[in-house]
Amino acid sequence: MNVLTSSIRSRPAAWFYIGWLIINLVQSYGTELLHDEAYYWVYSQYPAWGYFDHPPMIAVLIKLGYQIFPNELGVRLMMALMNTATLWLVHQLLIKKDDLLFYGLTASMGVLQIGGILAVPDIPLTFFTALFFWQYKRFLEQDNWLQGLLLGIVMAGMLYSKYHGILIILFTIFSNWKLVINPRAWIAVITGVLLFFPHLYWQYQHDFPSVSYHLKERNAPAYQFAFTLEYVAGQILLAGPLIGFLLLRAANRYKTTDLLARALQWSMWGFYGFFLISTLKGRVEANWTVPALIPVIILSHAWITENLSQRRWIFKLLVPSLVLVVLVRVYMLTDIKGLTRIFKDEMHGNQEWVKAIKEKSNGLPIVFLNSYQRPSKYWFYSGDTSFAINTTYYRRNNYNFWPIEKEWQNRKVLIVDKDLGTIENSFEIPTPRGITPALVIDKLQSFSHIRLSLSEKPASFKKGEPVQLTVEVDKNSISALQQLLNGSGQLNQLVADLFVGKSMVQRLSLTPSRLQETTLFLTSSENISLQPGEYILKLGIATSLPNLYSQNSPAILIEVN
């Protein structure tokens, strides 16, 4: 014991990081996947330069870990390592020397401990954000071509993790305008762009689906003040369930003219301000600002080091903060029936849910409707490939791009979804998550892999008149569409569904007049009956389920006059 105690006292940093990593590895192994983690695991089954929702970094990291441990630990292995490495980088960036305060401060931030294991893009983005500031510090100190090249590589890592990384780059430039005339800084920019080009080209090949979704396709509700209130409260809790307000206040009060600290300040408040403004467009997820915690830790640590009364509060709140973290960790690791049924979280009951469905499937492939989470969870915990049909009532996701749907055409499958209860011959499957309606389809017909877009965006349509559309067909979808139009497929009905928010207000059946190379000309068989105003239009193709149409186009904003 004396040897161990002596070792801890002589090398506290090493023991801090070793303990942090071991705890997170145990947590990673013993906690079932969240829905999004399962979805990103499916990413890793189809390596690509890009995905509908995110760049490919998360898929690469999951694939690396899963090849070592084919379970939850493998999915999260690289995240746990990156989380620990992020802390080490932040430790090196501290402006003031006070290791004990750093240990107490980071241990009190629940999101660093618990959220640090999750296989989501925020973890690699936060790692590369810390690495960016670490490399930017070296660039400021040496300002040579090599440091500029390395900075560009790190910038590409941020962008490959999550698009939000561009904010860190922009706000760093805002903090130091002399970078604009620095040729070594331009080397960093050029290097980053060149390394990120394969993903940009992937976006171009697929008609920029990520841009289209985030700018146009999201069915955001009208602004509510609650969005802004939830965002502000969420940021305080994210910074620390008990010390969040103290840290944000301390980070704001630290004053300096140091260029690195200025970049940290600009990035912190730029990140928070950008997403605060974003609440005017809809609800903002609290985790979107996780990279801002890097400057929060460094700046608040520097200010608190010089304010002993605030430093004492960190340690007064450390024990209750750790108690909260331990309670959450225990809950994640154990299946306490009463609690898990109350909270209905994503980390419990997945295997039982999968088992209940699989027993009733009689070996048939499982297809879900309007979900990227459920087929991903089923696939991971059953070991059987699954996919989802995305209808016009939902949104596109990467299941529109993967080849599963095309490979399963005309197969006998079991459709599982809550909206099937009214369809003839459907039956119910009791699961730990409630009754799930299901329906056997003898011959699957589904076409969400066919990609359509309007070649000319219509400014408006007129009430009381039919709709005429000129539709551009993706070159990889031409063959499948021709088969439908020629009658070799069982179904060939196309529709234009018009929405207000998430509510469909009119469906227009479309008649193809001709297909000319990659251009399809369509006319509606009925007139628009809607009142003048703005609507969302989605193109769909009939499936083997009655009145359900796969979503085959981006959501398009139109106006009825």
Side-chain angles (χ1 to χ4, degrees):
M1 178 63 81
N2 290 334
V3 175
L4 178 61
T5 302
S6 176
S7 177
I8 293 174
R9 288 177 177 174
S10 63
R11 296 187 175 183
W15 282 100
F16 174 77
Y17 293 119
I18 290 171
W20 188 285
L21 179 60
I22 290 174
I23 291 171
N24 276 348
L25 290 176
V26 172
Q27 190 81 54
S28 299
Y29 175 75
T31 305
E32 295 182 18
L33 297 187
L34 297 178
H35 295 335
D36 284 357
E37 291 182 283
Y39 181 46
Y40 301 140
W41 173 80
V42 179
Y43 274 20
S44 71
Q45 308 303 299
Y46 295 96
W49 281 107
Y51 300 91
F52 182 89
D53 318 79
H54 293 291
M57 180 66 73
I58 188 66
V60 173
L61 296 173
I62 290 175
K63 192 167 188 68
L64 288 173
Y66 198 75
Q67 288 180 333
I68 301 172
F69 301 109
N71 50 33
E72 289 92 344
L73 175 59
V75 173
R76 296 172 173 143
L77 176 63
M78 299 305 295
M79 311 305 134
L81 293 172
M82 277 187 160
N83 174 249
T84 306
T86 299
L87 288 184
W88 182 86
L89 288 167
V90 172
H91 199 169
Q92 309 313 302
L93 287 166
L94 293 180
I95 300 168
K96 305 288 185 179
K97 178 69 175 177
D98 189 336
D99 288 352
L100 189 60
L101 174 62
F102 173 73
Y103 303 146
L105 191 153
T106 52
S108 299
M109 300 175 72
V111 68
L112 292 182
Q113 292 203 53
I114 300 168
I117 70 166
L118 301 180
V120 293
D122 304 281
I123 304 305
L125 174 60
T126 305
F127 166 77
F128 280 106
T129 298
L131 188 60
F132 171 82
F133 287 121
W134 184 81
Q135 180 57 32
Y136 181 58
K137 180 182 179 182
R138 291 164 59 89
F139 178 82
L140 291 173
E141 293 169 349
Q142 302 180 35
D143 192 7
N144 58 40
W145 298 108
L146 175 60
Q147 300 307 322
L149 180 67
L150 293 174
L151 187 62
I153 294 172
V154 176
M155 288 160 58
M158 283 200 298
L159 295 176
Y160 270 116
S161 299
K162 203 171 183 180
Y163 302 117
H164 299 166
I166 191 65
L167 296 176
I168 298 293
I169 298 170
L170 290 176
F171 289 123
T172 298
I173 294 172
F174 292 159
S175 74
N176 182 9
W177 281 108
K178 289 184 179 180
L179 292 172
V180 175
I181 58 174
N182 186 330
R184 273 78 65 189
W186 278 103
I187 284 295
V189 172
I190 293 169
T191 301
V193 171
L194 288 176
L195 291 175
F196 196 57
F197 180 77
H199 176 70
L200 296 176
Y201 185 66
W202 181 92
Q203 289 282 348
Y204 167 76
Q205 287 182 308
H206 295 82
D207 298 323
F208 297 95
S210 304
V211 177
S212 177
Y213 171 67
H214 288 292
L215 294 183
K216 296 185 296 184
E217 296 187 43
R218 304 187 72 178
N219 288 325
Y223 173 72
Q224 302 174 31
F225 181 67
F227 295 163
T228 303
L229 197 61
E230 288 172 7
Y231 170 75
V232 173
Q235 298 317 303
I236 295 173
L237 291 174
L238 199 69
L242 299 181
I243 66 169
F245 181 77
L246 190 157
L247 294 187
L248 293 171
R249 175 175 172 269
N252 183 55
R253 298 189 70 173
Y254 182 72
K255 305 299 180 186
T256 181
T257 57
D258 178 77
L259 287 176
L260 175 62
R262 279 175 55 82
L264 292 166
Q265 290 170 331
W266 271 85
S267 297
M268 177 180 69
W269 292 119
F271 230 89
Y272 285 135
F274 176 85
F275 286 107
L276 178 65
I277 294 171
S278 298
T279 63
L280 300 177
K281 293 183 62 179
R283 183 171 279 108
V284 171
E285 300 292 337
N287 63 284
W288 291 355
T289 62
V290 166
L293 294 179
I294 302 300
V296 167
I297 295 170
I298 298 169
L299 296 172
S300 64
H301 178 275
W303 188 83
I304 294 171
T305 300
E306 299 175 343
N307 292 267
L308 295 181
S309 63
Q310 301 300 308
R311 187 180 187 276
R312 284 193 289 268
W313 271 109
I314 294 294
F315 291 103
K316 286 180 181 179
L317 295 172
L318 176 59
V319 171
S321 295
L322 287 175
V323 169
L324 286 175
V325 169
V326 169
L327 289 175
V328 174
R329 285 189 182 278
V330 171
Y331 171 76
M332 292 169 66
L333 287 167
T334 56
D335 189 2
I336 305 171
K337 297 299 183 183
L339 287 177
T340 55
R341 286 173 182 169
I342 291 173
F343 293 115
K344 297 181 180 179
D345 63 66
E346 305 170 16
M347 300 170 291
H348 297 96
N350 293 296
Q351 297 185 38
E352 293 82 359
W353 172 75
V354 166
K355 182 180 179 182
I357 294 174
K358 191 167 184 175
E359 286 179 348
K360 295 293 185 180
S361 70
N362 294 320
L364 293 178
I366 304 297
V367 177
F368 294 85
L369 293 178
N370 297 335
S371 174
Y372 61 85
Q373 301 103 328
R374 293 194 297 275
S376 303
K377 271 285 184 68
Y378 185 87
W379 190 342
F380 182 85
Y381 283 106
S382 70
D384 297 333
T385 304
S386 181
F387 89 99
I389 301 172
N390 298 314
T391 74
T392 54
Y393 288 96
Y394 192 50
R395 71 168 181 89
R396 298 186 302 160
N397 53 55
N398 227 87
Y399 281 97
N400 289 73
F401 295 89
W402 288 320
I404 312 164
E405 184 184 48
K406 288 187 284 188
E407 295 168 355
W408 285 17
Q409 291 299 302
N410 300 316
R411 288 185 65 178
K412 187 176 182 178
V413 301
L414 180 69
I415 307 280
V416 180
D417 189 81
K418 63 182 186 307
D419 296 324
L420 296 173
T422 59
I423 298 179
E424 187 179 357
N425 297 325
S426 65
F427 60 95
E428 295 180 339
I429 301 177
T431 78
R433 296 179 179 172
I435 300 297
T436 298
L439 178 69
V440 174
I441 297 293
D442 290 325
K443 202 171 185 180
L444 177 68
Q445 292 279 304
S446 170
F447 309 100
S448 56
H449 59 276
I450 295 178
R451 300 203 299 272
L452 308 174
S453 60
L454 295 190
S455 55
E456 297 178 3
K457 302 297 186 294
S460 62
F461 295 119
K462 290 185 178 180
K463 179 182 179 181
E465 294 185 2
V467 168
Q468 293 184 333
L469 297 174
T470 303
V471 175
E472 195 67 26
V473 184
D474 180 81
K475 62 180 180 180
N476 296 318
S477 303
I478 288 291
S479 176
L481 186 64
Q482 284 178 330
Q483 291 179 2
L484 290 177
L485 297 177
N486 293 335
S488 56
Q490 286 191 344
L491 306 168
N492 60 4
Q493 185 180 358
L494 288 87
V495 297
D497 285 345
L498 301 175
F499 289 80
V500 173
K502 295 184 179 181
S503 301
M504 188 176 70
V505 291
Q506 187 173 6
R507 167 167 288 168
L508 299 171
S509 296
L510 301 174
T511 302
S513 56
R514 69 182 189 279
L515 176 62
Q516 183 177 327
E517 296 182 350
T518 61
T519 304
L520 178 65
F521 298 90
L522 301 166
T523 304
S524 66
S525 56
E526 59 259 64
N527 300 332
I528 287 186
S529 60
L530 301 174
Q531 295 300 316
E534 290 188 341
Y535 300 88
I536 293 293
L537 181 148
K538 298 180 183 180
L539 298 174
I541 299 176
T543 70
S544 46
L545 290 167
N547 297 317
L548 287 179
Y549 295 75
S550 57
Q551 184 173 166
N552 298 93
S553 76
I556 304 159
L557 182 65
I558 62 129
E559 185 174 345
V560 174
N561 294 323

